Amino acid sequence: MKSDGTRQIDSGLYVVATPIGNLGDITLRAVDVLRSVDRIAAEDTRRTRQLLSHLGIAGKPLDALHEHSSERDVERLASLLESGTSMALVTDAGTPAVSDPGGALVNAAIAAGIRVVPVPGASAVLAALVASGLGDGHGFRFLGFLPRAGSVRRDAIARACETPEPVILFESPERTNTTLHELAQAMPDRRACVARELTKIHEEFVRGTLAELANEHGDWRGEIAIVLGSFSPKAHAESIDDADIDARIDQELDRDTHAKTIAERIAAWSGRPKREIYERVVRKKSDRGERIS
């Protein structure tokens, strides 16, 4: 027992999951660890202070560790761990090192031979999956936040669409509508669910096909998780013939879409090789007397 009345805890890095919305979802073990460690590394110290205040924990030293933290910041925290400090790592909500910057400290601790202890708890990924009704009992794929733009985003969209298992991804409310439209362009009939404000007072699950969800809302609010249902790539590909592909190519050309983008979208939708689709696009543009771009 320490002089302040808290339990003595072994040195090391404790990766502590915190509530994703409802503060009642914190575990008894997480509360005990947060009370007992020497200090806490937090993605947002203000939000962590609010949580600690709710739990009746006062005077705990906090260190900021966020996406703008430098290597020197991580090294300083790792040095504290090497000196025998017990430290909790927390994120704004959920489990650290999952779609947040805490992984750098975990890796630094492992490299230094520091004990890393997981303290599991609430998970937006699992909450969204089980309540979506789209889990198939055979695993899933979690993609986190999609890249914001460019070829890396297009590749991520294609990867999501090509995955036969359920897919869970996070998105900001400002980009949710765009993401739904891009997913719907590839797989309009795939079942999906937008899970919004999980465990909070305005929790909502909006279900439908990607095409329906893309057209249902123009303004999404709160924390967002998108779940895509499982599908059979073989059955989906067999349901699409050359006429369907040519019709999609014509639609994209009418929108003046770049040839490479057309090939990426339709390849993801049809399951056919991107090169094959690109060659069809080139022929189509030539037949229409259009310049290849």
Side-chain angles (χ1 to χ4, degrees):
M1 190 72 69
K2 296 180 183 179
S3 59
D4 61 2
T6 59
R7 180 175 68 87
Q8 183 69 43
I9 193 170
D10 292 337
S11 63
L13 180 64
Y14 295 80
V15 185
V16 180
T18 55
I20 59 176
N22 190 316
L23 295 180
D25 289 337
I26 195 162
T27 67
L28 295 174
R29 184 182 175 209
V31 176
D32 180 53
V33 168
L34 292 174
R35 281 203 178 103
S36 303
V37 290
D38 296 320
R39 57 196 313 118
I40 298 172
E43 182 181 8
D44 186 332
T45 56
R46 294 168 299 179
R47 293 188 64 168
T48 299
R49 283 195 183 93
Q50 292 173 352
L51 174 63
L52 295 178
S53 176
H54 173 79
L55 299 175
I57 301 173
K60 189 69 62 176
L62 296 179
D63 299 284
L65 182 64
H66 46 69
E67 61 181 336
H68 301 298
S69 295
S70 65
E71 289 185 18
R72 182 173 296 180
D73 294 325
V74 174
E75 290 170 359
R76 182 180 66 82
L77 295 176
S79 295
L80 288 171
L81 288 166
E82 289 185 84
S83 70
T85 298
S86 61
M87 183 182 300
L89 172 65
V90 299
T91 185
D92 286 354
T95 304
V98 178
S99 289
D100 96 327
L105 182 57
V106 172
N107 290 333
I110 292 171
I114 304 298
R115 179 170 174 248
V116 177
V117 182
V119 183
S123 166
V125 175
L126 296 180
L129 177 65
V130 299
S132 71
L134 298 174
D136 62 4
H138 300 289
F140 61 90
R141 186 172 191 172
F142 173 59
L143 296 182
F145 285 96
L146 297 180
R148 295 189 180 188
S151 61
V152 289
R153 179 176 175 84
R154 292 194 296 271
D155 289 345
I157 292 286
R159 190 160 59 250
C161 294
E162 292 166 357
T163 300
E165 297 85 12
V167 175
I168 302 97
L169 55 92
F170 294 156
E171 193 52 281
S172 71
E174 296 81 11
R175 291 192 297 273
T176 294
N177 206 41
T178 297
T179 295
L180 288 172
H181 275 90
E182 291 178 357
L183 290 167
Q185 286 174 341
M187 305 198 74
D189 298 325
R190 188 166 182 174
R191 301 295 300 177
C193 174
V194 176
R196 190 180 73 83
E197 292 289 82
L198 287 168
T199 77
K200 300 178 184 177
I201 191 170
H202 296 298
E203 180 180 79
E204 180 182 26
F205 299 91
V206 185
R207 303 174 179 89
T209 65
L210 282 168
E212 290 168 344
L213 293 174
N215 294 321
E216 183 157 342
H217 285 268
D219 182 27
W220 296 93
R221 297 183 181 181
E223 301 291 330
I224 302 288
I226 300 173
V227 184
L228 309 182
S230 58
F231 82 111
S232 168
K234 182 178 179 181
H236 178 71
E238 289 175 350
S239 71
I240 299 171
D241 58 22
D242 288 349
D244 294 324
I245 290 176
D246 288 338
R248 281 292 303 271
I249 291 174
D250 284 331
Q251 291 174 2
E252 295 289 354
L253 290 175
D254 289 343
R255 299 189 188 107
D256 202 28
T257 308
H258 192 282
K260 184 179 179 181
T261 302
I262 296 174
E264 289 171 342
R265 288 178 179 174
I266 297 180
W269 165 67
S270 66
R272 298 198 188 184
K274 191 187 304 182
R275 179 180 292 276
E276 174 190 332
I277 303 299
Y278 183 78
E279 290 172 353
R280 295 179 78 93
V281 173
V282 170
R283 288 197 298 270
K284 273 279 188 182
K285 289 179 75 74
S286 177
D287 292 343
R288 291 164 60 131
E290 298 177 5
R291 184 172 60 86
I292 306 301
S293 61

